Amino acid sequence: MTEERRRFTRLHFDQEAQLTLNDGRYQVKNLTNISVGGCKLEISGPFERGSRVTLTLPLYSTTPDLEIIGAIERSDEKFTSIRFTEITPENLTHLHNMIRLHAEDADVIDAEIHSHPGLH
C-alpha cells in the first residue's frame, strides 16, 4: 500500500479551464479535481515536469477569472497534474471559497488552510 503524500483534500471538480504554457494556450475540457495546493486536468501531454504554467478558471460574470501560477508535476497522454506555486491574495480567497463550497466538510478544508502558513 502506498503512503498518501497529499497535504490537501482533493475534490472532484468538473469545470472547463485554460492552461497557458510556453506561449501556448490550451483549452481544458475538464479540470477533474482540485485542492488548495494543485489540480489534475484532463489534457493531452506530455508536458515537461517543472514547466511553469498559468491556470485560468472562469468564475462569475461579475468577477474576473481566477488565475493561478503553477508547475507541471506529472503529465501523460491523458492527464496533467499541476502544483500551485503563486497566487494573488484575492485569487487565493476565491480559490478557498470555491473549494469550501464543493467540499463535503468545509471545516476540514478550513483546518488544512489554517495549518499551512502562507495559504491564508
Side-chain angles (χ1 to χ4, degrees):
M1 183 155 87
T2 61
E3 180 182 330
E4 179 62 50
R5 296 183 313 187
R6 291 192 177 124
R7 298 183 312 168
F8 305 107
T9 302
R10 292 254 177 185
L11 305 172
H12 174 72
F13 202 75
D14 186 16
Q15 179 176 337
E16 291 184 8
Q18 185 177 78
L19 186 67
T20 304
L21 168 71
N22 299 331
D23 298 327
R25 288 199 166 173
Y26 303 88
Q27 283 305 122
V28 179
K29 292 185 179 185
N30 190 15
L31 187 152
T32 60
N33 69 42
I34 192 165
S35 75
V36 174
C39 67
K40 182 177 179 182
L41 310 167
E42 190 172 329
I43 184 171
S44 297
F47 299 111
E48 186 175 339
R49 186 172 195 268
S51 295
R52 181 182 163 105
V53 299
T54 301
L55 178 70
T56 304
L57 300 171
L59 293 177
Y60 312 104
S61 60
T62 59
T63 306
D65 291 344
L66 175 63
E67 288 193 355
I68 306 169
I69 305 297
I72 301 290
E73 280 293 307
R74 284 179 286 303
S75 184
D76 60 31
E77 56 279 340
K78 188 167 182 181
F79 294 106
T80 296
S81 296
I82 298 171
R83 178 179 40 87
F84 298 150
T85 58
E86 299 174 39
I87 189 168
T88 66
E90 182 180 353
N91 280 336
L92 183 58
T93 298
H94 288 305
L95 177 63
H96 289 173
N97 290 336
M98 185 174 64
I99 290 172
R100 289 184 81 251
L101 180 66
H102 290 87
E104 283 185 33
D105 186 350
D107 291 337
V108 170
I109 304 303
D110 287 341
E112 290 174 355
I113 291 167
H114 292 294
S115 68
H116 290 85
L119 291 178
H120 51 87

